[in-house]
Amino acid sequence: MFGFRKKQALKVREISLPLVGKIVPLEQVEDEAFSSGVMGKGIAIQPETGKVFSPFKGKVAHLMDKSKHAIILEDECGFQILIHVGMNTVSLKGEGFTAHVKTGDSIEEGQLLLEFDIAAIEQAGYTVVTPVIVPNGQDKVKSVEVNQGNTTAETTIRIHLN
């Protein structure tokens, strides 16, 4: 008898994007940490509105409390995503940002998490292009694919889980 192994079913989680806007390939983001893929795989968004919504049910793993410009969410399956509003917006020290959640909060899909003032951020000299990535180094994540359309409504991130 041959030693065939039973093929395990691969768990795949497909998530919608947490902002409404125009898709920007991650390679075009001005911050090399994102554009080179060194931080993880994903996509960037030129937001139409200054609102970030939860793409899944889970929890807030970490909110940058003082600056409110970045948030890490953890899905019920255990993987995390990073939503980083703008480039160098940490320098604004929270000015123009409103958080509706805090680290440790449980979240529901579609829940409003953050609001940000696009005009005020751009007037201060910063871009609001927002990377949404699956950070590298997660034991739960086997691979990440971006199913890219022209808009956020047509684009998803597919996460293959171990």
Side-chain angles (χ1 to χ4, degrees):
M1 178 158 234
F2 298 99
F4 291 109
R5 286 188 282 169
K6 233 182 175 179
K7 192 173 182 181
Q8 282 188 308
L10 186 65
K11 290 190 240 170
V12 178
R13 184 79 167 87
E14 191 165 58
I15 62 169
S16 299
L17 297 180
L19 296 101
V20 174
K22 182 179 176 231
I23 296 300
V24 177
L26 207 52
E27 300 78 37
Q28 293 178 14
V29 173
E30 64 186 51
D31 186 321
E32 194 175 323
F34 291 108
S35 63
S36 69
V38 73
M39 289 191 62
K41 288 187 178 179
I43 197 79
I45 302 159
Q46 177 65 49
E48 290 175 7
T49 63
K51 294 182 179 189
V52 176
F53 298 94
S54 177
F56 49 67
K57 184 175 181 177
K59 70 177 184 179
V60 177
H62 188 72
L63 170 69
M64 304 303 176
D65 289 326
K66 291 181 183 171
S67 61
K68 298 172 187 59
H69 77 290
I71 188 168
I72 299 172
L73 305 178
E74 186 172 310
D75 181 89
E76 292 178 309
C77 297
F79 69 85
Q80 295 182 342
I81 67 166
L82 167 65
I83 304 164
H84 191 283
V85 179
M87 294 296 115
N88 301 314
T89 50
V90 66
S91 301
L92 294 171
K93 299 180 178 153
E95 195 66 38
F97 291 87
T98 303
H100 296 284
V101 292
K102 62 187 181 316
T103 300
D105 282 357
S106 292
I107 53 174
E108 295 294 325
E109 186 172 343
Q111 180 178 341
L112 179 63
L113 305 174
L114 299 173
E115 289 184 275
F116 54 97
D117 186 332
I118 293 173
I121 293 167
E122 288 176 339
Q123 208 166 25
Y126 301 99
T127 177
V128 290
V129 168
T130 301
V132 177
I133 65 165
V134 178
N136 289 331
Q138 297 184 61
D139 292 338
K140 292 246 179 216
V141 177
K142 184 173 185 175
S143 65
V144 177
E145 299 170 49
V146 176
N147 302 316
Q148 186 176 330
N150 293 319
T151 66
T152 50
E154 301 168 344
T155 303
T156 59
I157 297 175
R158 183 176 291 151
I159 299 137
H160 297 268
L161 304 170
N162 287 320

